[in-house]
């Protein structure tokens, strides 16, 4: 038993290693210089971990968003070596630790009891599980029907809502072929209780359960704190109103409750979210789980589907219109870089200081990505991220790459830094890592993902919709094996759209009518043995780095684990470096001839023109070669000796070059002036660097473009 009866025994019940766990462990390390495992018992449960404490100040039983339950007054936990009904055994992770850590209050740790988000509203799931465990040994053939009727009547009379009792029956039924009949009996029993008809509740349980089990069940059932709203929804469900009125009243009650504790958000592209410390998409499994746990509404049943549809429609019309970001947001006007830590906190960098605020407090909202794990940066014992990401890679000169190994290492660093300044990059470079098998091209991207997110791996996309969904919900997409001649035809144009920031419209999964549009903020990187340089749309937007076979025999798994073990210190090092970049990024951008001018300008501001000019020139030379390889113009321009320095309109160039190509037997595919004009517009930057092409607009009426070549 927990609470004052056992000397303040309190259990922190984590559903996984999450932000709350990090909060506890950080406090323990600061206070005692040790880890949680060294100071107090830690239990591995069927779904997470429990930490035993003794707390001087009585703690109420409650649940926090993000995966933390407090087992305090009038509650109890199952201790090792008990066996969960699903099979796993509860066990101590540190059986040698026999004493329980004493603390004054949970607020000392950073777990407040008055915080708005700590709602006492869905802890009933523990009671469901524990009651199921109590009656499971007595759920025998021959008495199941009577036991389900008795437990239903008993729980209904003390105020348990119908969905909770149904969950109890489901938890003990297993593969019971008559589960449907059991649930119908539960609903009939509830209707009888609500209409004051006689039922056998406690008396029926006395006939089927041992006294000690019944006493424990009664204490547990009566200690459950059932939210008034759950009871209200249950009353609405069982009233005599018409079904559409019941659904409407339930939806109104749910919306009112959620609005009291959070905010509904609508992005400019009509992506819909609910914010309550964390930002959850309305069409996500997480939001459906919240509705079920908090209000007892199954999203697959009529009331649940109606509520979800109602919330979506209300958010479309009344939701707060604002952007929702992933990982990072750069506010150029204020000179502040926001970085989401993944645990409800946001770091604010202004070029000199690093502050921590709650998600949404600065009017900037972040949503977590699928595999994002929280981090807590160590700003004192920092490590250089490059030491663990790039410095041990072996870059080399070779086909498609005109940069020295040192220059390629610099480019990799620049590309990583640019991930945090998306707002400076309407267009983004596609990073391509090429090299033979075993060269480490996948290793670089895997370590980057492990560092940024704590977990995850290289991805694959099945179709266009799959790619769009990844671009819409992520800040970084890393793909494996994008090979020339093997990738699907649709992928090249879609990667171009991602790189150039073209708007993409998605049909929402939960409806056949509603659509959401977004401008990709996601960066894309991929590995390739044969990069798709034949696709000019991709080639002109690629940054290609070439790696040779790794000399080190250290297993990749160990290198990834090292990044994970040092993640907080690596973040500390990166944050300090990003803070140094901020004043430079805010300076006036200069003009550049590099095709991806936005990225080139950002790199020049971060590292200076003197340092970056030869690097950008080397990247540009590859792009010129790749894009002009399929153009007929270089061969024609090499043969053309007269009138090169005159300013000529496309119509004049078309006439001259067509005749020249015909006389010399050269390929010239353009049948009209318009065809030549369109091609010139796509390659004139490359022709400018290779052949000295210049162009300008004519003045007066009928403005047009004219061209000439520098002597």
């Amino acid at each position: 038993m927990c609470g004052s009866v056992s000397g303040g025994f309190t259990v922190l019940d984590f559903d996984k290693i999450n932000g709350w766990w990090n909060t506890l462990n950080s406090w323990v390390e600061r206070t005692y210089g040790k880890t949680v495992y060294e100071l107090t018992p830690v239990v591995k449960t069927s779904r997470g971990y429990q930490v035993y404490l003794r707390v001087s100040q009585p703690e109420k039983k409650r649940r926090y968003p993000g995966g933390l339950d407090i087992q305090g007054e009038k509650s109890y936990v199952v201790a090792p070596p008990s066996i969960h009904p699903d099979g796993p055994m509860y066990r101590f992770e540190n059986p040698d630790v026999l004493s329980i850590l004493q603390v004054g209050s949970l607020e000392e740790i950073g777990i407040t009891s008055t915080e708005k988000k700590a709602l006492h509203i869905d802890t009933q799931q523990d009671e469901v599980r524990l009651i199921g465990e109590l009656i499971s040994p007595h759920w025998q053939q021959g008495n199941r029907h009577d036991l389900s009727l008795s437990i239903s009547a008993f729980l209904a009379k003390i105020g348990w809502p119908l969905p909770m009792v149904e969950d109890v029956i489901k938890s003990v039924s297993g593969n019971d072929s008559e589960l449907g009949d059991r649930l119908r009996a539960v609903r009939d029993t509830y209707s009888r209780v609500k209409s004051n008809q006689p039922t056998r509740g406690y008396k029926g349980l006395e006939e089927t359960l041992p006294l000690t089990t019944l006493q424990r069940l009664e204490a547990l059932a009566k200690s459950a704190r059932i939210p008034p709203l759950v009871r209200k929804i249950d009353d609405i469900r069982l009233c005599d109103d018409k079904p559409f009125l019941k659904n409407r009243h339930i939806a109104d009650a749910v919306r009112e409750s959620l609005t009291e504790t959070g905010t509904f958000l609508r992005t400019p592209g009509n992506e819909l979210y609910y914010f309550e410390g964390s930002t959850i998409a309305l069409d996500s499994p997480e939001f459906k789980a919240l509705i079920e746990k908090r209000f007892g509404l199954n999203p697959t049943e009529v009331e649940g589907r109606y509520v979800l549809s109602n919330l979506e429609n209300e958010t479309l019309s009344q939701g707060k219109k604002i952007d929702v970001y992933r990982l990072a947001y750069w506010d150029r006007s204020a000179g502040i870089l926001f970085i989401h830590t993944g645990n409800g906190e946001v770091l604010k960098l202004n070029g000199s200081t690093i502050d921590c605020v709650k998600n949404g407090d600065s009017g900037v909202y972040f949503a977590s990505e699928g595999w994002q794990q929280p981090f807590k940066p160590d700003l004192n014992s920092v490590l250089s991220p490059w030491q663990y990401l790039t410095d041990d890679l072996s870059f080399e000169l070779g086909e498609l790459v005109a940069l020295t190994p040192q220059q390629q290492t610099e480019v990799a660093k620049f590309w990583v830094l640019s991930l945090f300044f998306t707002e400076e990059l309407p267009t983004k470079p596609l990073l391509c890592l090429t090299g033979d098998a075993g060269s480490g091209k996948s290793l670089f991207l895997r370590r980057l993902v492990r560092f940024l997110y704590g977990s995850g791996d290289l991805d694959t996309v099945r179709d266009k919709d799959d790619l769009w969904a990844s671009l819409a919900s992520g800040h970084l997409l890393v793909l494996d094996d994008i090979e020339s001649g093997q990738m699907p035809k649709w992928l090249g144009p879609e990667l171009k759209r991602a790189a150039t920031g073209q708007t993409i419209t998605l049909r929402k999964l939960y409806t056949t009518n509603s659509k959401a549009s977004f401008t990709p903020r996601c960066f894309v990187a991929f590995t390739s043995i044969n990069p798709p340089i034949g696709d000019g749309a991709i080639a002109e937007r690629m940054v290609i780095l070439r790696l040779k076979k790794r000399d080190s025999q250290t297993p990749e798994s160990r290198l990834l684990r090292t990044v994970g073990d040092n993640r907080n210190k690596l973040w500390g090092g990166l944050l300090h470096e990003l803070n140094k970049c901020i004043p430079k990024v805010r300076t006036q951008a200069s003009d550049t001839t590099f095709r991806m001018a936005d990225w080139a300008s950002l790199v020049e501001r971060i590292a200076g023109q003197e340092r970056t000019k030869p690097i950008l020139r080397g990247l540009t030379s590859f792009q010129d070669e790749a894009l002009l390889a399929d153009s007929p113009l270089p061969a024609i321009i090499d043969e053309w000796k007269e009138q090169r320095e005159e300013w000529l309109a496309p119509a004049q160039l078309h006439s001259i070059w067509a005749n020249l190509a015909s006389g010399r037997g050269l390929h010239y595919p353009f049948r009209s002036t318009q065809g030549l004009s369109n091609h010139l517009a796509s390659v004139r930057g490359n022709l400018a660097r290779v052949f000295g092409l210049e162009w300008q607009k004519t003045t007066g009426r009928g403005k047009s473009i004219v061209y000439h070549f520098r002597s």
Side-chain angles (χ1 to χ4, degrees):
M1 289 294 295
C2 301
S4 54
V5 297
S6 54
F9 180 58
T10 302
V11 176
L12 307 186
D13 193 349
F14 303 88
D15 61 9
K16 60 182 178 180
I17 299 297
N18 54 26
W20 290 112
W21 176 278
N22 293 336
T23 297
L24 170 66
N25 203 51
S26 297
W27 177 81
V28 170
E29 289 180 347
R30 289 196 309 270
T31 307
Y32 299 99
K34 296 182 179 180
T35 67
V36 172
Y37 290 97
E38 296 175 278
L39 289 179
T40 198
V42 178
V43 175
K44 180 70 177 75
T45 68
S46 63
R47 61 189 180 96
Y49 297 86
Q50 293 176 343
V51 176
Y52 291 177
L53 300 174
R54 292 199 185 278
V55 183
S56 301
Q57 178 178 318
E59 295 289 345
K60 294 181 179 179
K61 180 175 180 175
R62 58 190 184 275
R63 169 166 289 183
Y64 289 79
L68 171 63
D69 291 335
I70 307 298
Q71 305 297 348
E73 294 291 335
K74 298 182 180 180
S75 65
Y76 69 89
V77 294
V78 176
S82 301
I83 299 177
H84 191 271
D86 292 338
M89 176 183 291
Y90 291 78
R91 69 173 189 273
F92 286 108
E93 293 282 271
N94 49 353
D96 295 335
V97 177
L98 303 179
S99 61
I100 298 176
L101 179 63
Q102 177 79 44
V103 300
S105 70
L106 295 185
E107 291 194 3
E108 292 181 12
I109 300 173
I111 304 172
T112 62
S113 59
T114 58
E115 183 176 329
K116 177 181 177 183
K117 304 301 182 286
L119 303 172
H120 302 201
I121 54 180
D122 54 1
T123 57
Q124 65 266 24
Q125 292 302 316
D126 288 329
E127 280 75 19
V128 168
R129 173 174 56 83
L130 293 173
I131 286 180
E133 292 173 359
L134 276 176
I135 67 174
S136 181
H138 310 284
W139 189 260
Q140 303 295 333
Q141 189 74 32
N143 72 343
R144 294 174 183 174
H145 184 71
D146 291 339
L147 184 53
S148 63
L149 290 176
S150 299
I151 192 73
S152 302
F154 170 66
L155 294 176
K157 289 176 180 179
I158 65 173
W160 272 51
L162 174 60
M164 285 177 59
V165 181
E166 290 179 327
D167 286 344
V168 170
I169 300 302
K170 291 175 185 176
S171 72
V172 297
S173 292
N175 297 322
D176 188 349
S177 61
E178 298 179 347
L179 175 59
D181 293 335
R182 311 267 185 250
L183 296 178
R184 279 189 290 274
V186 170
R187 297 186 192 105
D188 291 342
T189 300
Y190 258 74
S191 296
R192 293 175 64 84
V193 170
K194 293 294 181 181
S195 58
N196 294 317
Q197 298 180 45
T199 55
R200 286 172 56 80
Y202 192 85
K203 286 188 177 297
L205 291 176
E206 285 182 317
E207 298 174 2
T208 53
L209 297 179
L211 179 61
T212 54
T213 300
L214 181 56
Q215 290 173 338
R216 291 176 64 191
L217 186 151
E218 182 180 16
L220 180 60
K222 290 183 176 179
S223 70
R225 189 182 188 283
I226 309 300
L229 183 59
V230 173
R231 287 180 173 151
K232 179 179 179 180
I233 289 174
D234 207 43
D235 289 339
I236 296 172
R237 183 187 283 112
L238 296 170
C239 74
D240 293 330
D241 274 344
K242 294 181 178 180
F244 79 92
L245 288 176
K246 292 182 184 181
N247 292 339
R248 183 183 300 172
H249 294 326
I250 290 173
D252 290 343
V254 171
R255 187 174 62 256
E256 180 181 342
S257 173
L258 291 176
T259 304
E260 287 178 357
T261 58
T263 306
F264 287 96
L265 308 176
R266 173 172 64 99
T267 70
N270 286 337
E271 295 174 280
L272 309 179
Y273 296 90
Y274 178 66
F275 175 77
E276 194 183 74
S278 60
T279 309
I280 310 172
L282 294 197
D283 60 345
S284 67
E286 290 78 10
F287 186 71
K288 294 174 183 176
L290 181 150
I291 293 297
E292 184 168 16
K293 291 177 68 176
R294 189 169 295 186
F295 304 104
L297 293 168
N298 187 331
T300 65
E301 297 179 352
V302 174
E303 296 98 337
R305 293 199 303 270
Y306 183 93
V307 166
L308 290 172
S309 178
N310 180 272
L311 293 176
E312 290 156 5
N313 291 332
E314 287 293 320
T315 305
L316 277 170
S317 60
Q318 304 295 331
K320 181 178 181 179
K321 193 170 184 178
I322 195 165
D323 280 307
V324 174
Y325 303 101
R326 271 85 175 172
L327 188 64
Y329 166 66
W330 165 238
D331 185 342
R332 180 178 175 79
S333 61
I336 297 176
L337 176 61
F338 297 84
I339 299 176
H340 186 214
T341 66
N343 62 354
E345 294 181 337
V346 175
L347 302 174
K348 293 175 62 176
L349 288 68
N350 64 7
S352 57
T353 62
I354 301 174
D355 297 320
C356 184
V357 299
K358 291 182 179 178
N359 189 8
D361 277 4
S362 298
V364 178
Y365 294 87
F366 285 95
S368 293
E369 298 176 57
W371 50 39
Q372 184 173 5
Q373 300 295 322
F375 70 91
K376 194 172 186 66
D378 187 336
L379 300 176
N380 298 315
S381 303
V382 303
L383 293 173
S384 168
W386 317 124
Q387 179 183 347
Y388 291 79
L389 296 178
T390 60
D391 288 355
D392 62 344
L393 297 177
S394 300
F395 294 99
E396 66 174 350
L397 285 165
E399 185 181 0
L400 306 179
V401 178
L403 298 177
T404 67
Q406 179 59 37
Q407 288 175 325
Q408 292 184 69
T409 302
E410 292 285 281
V411 170
K413 295 177 182 178
F414 295 152
W415 193 85
V416 172
L417 291 173
S418 68
L419 296 175
F420 296 89
F421 297 99
T422 309
E423 286 62 35
E424 297 286 338
L425 301 172
T427 59
K428 306 173 187 65
L430 302 168
L431 180 64
C432 172
L433 280 299
T434 188
D436 297 330
S439 60
K441 54 185 184 294
S442 298
L443 173 62
F444 168 68
L445 295 180
R446 285 196 174 100
R447 287 197 294 195
L448 178 61
V449 169
R450 184 66 57 90
F451 164 53
L452 293 177
Y453 296 110
S455 64
D457 203 344
L458 276 65
D459 207 349
T460 57
V461 289
R462 296 182 297 274
D463 51 38
K464 189 183 300 185
D465 289 341
D466 191 24
L467 176 67
W468 286 358
S470 297
L471 294 174
S473 61
H475 190 82
L476 172 63
L477 175 63
V478 290
L479 302 173
D480 201 15
D481 296 333
I482 303 300
E483 305 295 343
S484 178
Q486 298 179 24
M487 66 181 194
K489 292 182 179 180
W490 57 264
L491 184 56
E494 296 310 318
L495 290 178
K496 175 186 175 182
R497 293 176 71 178
T500 55
Q502 299 177 35
T503 299
I504 295 175
T505 300
L506 287 170
R507 187 178 298 279
K508 302 299 288 183
L509 296 178
Y510 54 77
T511 175
T512 58
N513 298 316
S514 179
K515 294 182 179 180
S517 59
F518 70 98
T519 300
R521 294 172 45 83
C522 187
F523 288 78
V524 178
F526 58 87
T527 66
S528 179
I529 295 177
N530 299 300
I533 60 171
D535 188 331
I538 300 180
E540 64 184 3
R541 291 168 177 84
M542 276 199 299
V543 169
I544 298 183
L545 304 179
R546 171 173 288 278
L547 292 109
K548 63 182 180 180
K549 194 171 182 65
R550 292 171 53 218
D551 295 329
S552 172
Q553 298 302 312
T554 305
E556 183 174 307
S557 59
R558 184 184 302 172
L559 296 173
L560 291 172
R561 188 165 57 248
T562 301
V563 171
D565 292 344
N566 292 284
R567 187 173 174 229
N568 289 335
K569 294 181 179 181
L570 295 173
W571 266 108
L574 181 64
L575 293 173
H576 284 308
E577 186 157 347
L578 288 169
N579 237 355
K580 294 177 183 178
C581 292
I582 287 175
K584 302 174 184 177
V585 174
R586 297 194 74 189
T587 59
Q588 183 65 38
S590 58
D591 293 333
T592 178
T593 59
F594 189 54
R595 176 73 180 184
M596 290 171 288
D598 298 322
W599 188 71
S601 173
L602 175 64
V603 169
E604 287 179 344
R605 280 176 281 159
I606 289 176
Q609 288 189 350
E610 182 177 347
R611 178 179 168 191
T612 58
K613 190 173 182 179
I615 294 176
L616 295 175
R617 187 185 300 121
L619 290 173
T620 301
S621 67
F622 149 71
Q623 291 181 329
D624 293 336
E625 293 174 10
L627 287 173
L628 294 178
D630 295 327
S631 171
L633 297 186
I636 293 173
I637 294 170
D638 280 337
E639 294 291 327
W640 183 39
K641 307 301 181 185
E642 301 175 357
Q643 296 180 280
R644 289 172 63 103
E645 298 179 21
E646 297 181 22
W647 288 98
L648 300 173
Q652 295 170 294
L653 288 173
H654 176 58
S655 176
I656 294 170
W657 289 349
N659 290 331
L660 178 64
S662 177
R664 304 281 177 91
L666 301 174
H667 176 56
Y668 186 77
F670 310 109
R671 298 184 178 182
S672 67
T673 299
Q674 187 61 48
L676 175 61
S677 295
N678 292 340
H679 184 67
L680 277 172
S682 67
V683 299
R684 63 190 183 189
N686 311 97
L687 293 174
R689 288 183 288 271
V690 178
F691 294 99
L693 177 68
E694 294 180 337
W695 61 91
Q696 65 182 18
K697 285 186 177 181
T698 60
T699 58
R701 297 182 61 184
K703 293 181 180 179
S704 62
I705 302 290
V706 292
Y707 298 88
H708 88 139
F709 290 84
R710 295 190 301 270
S711 57

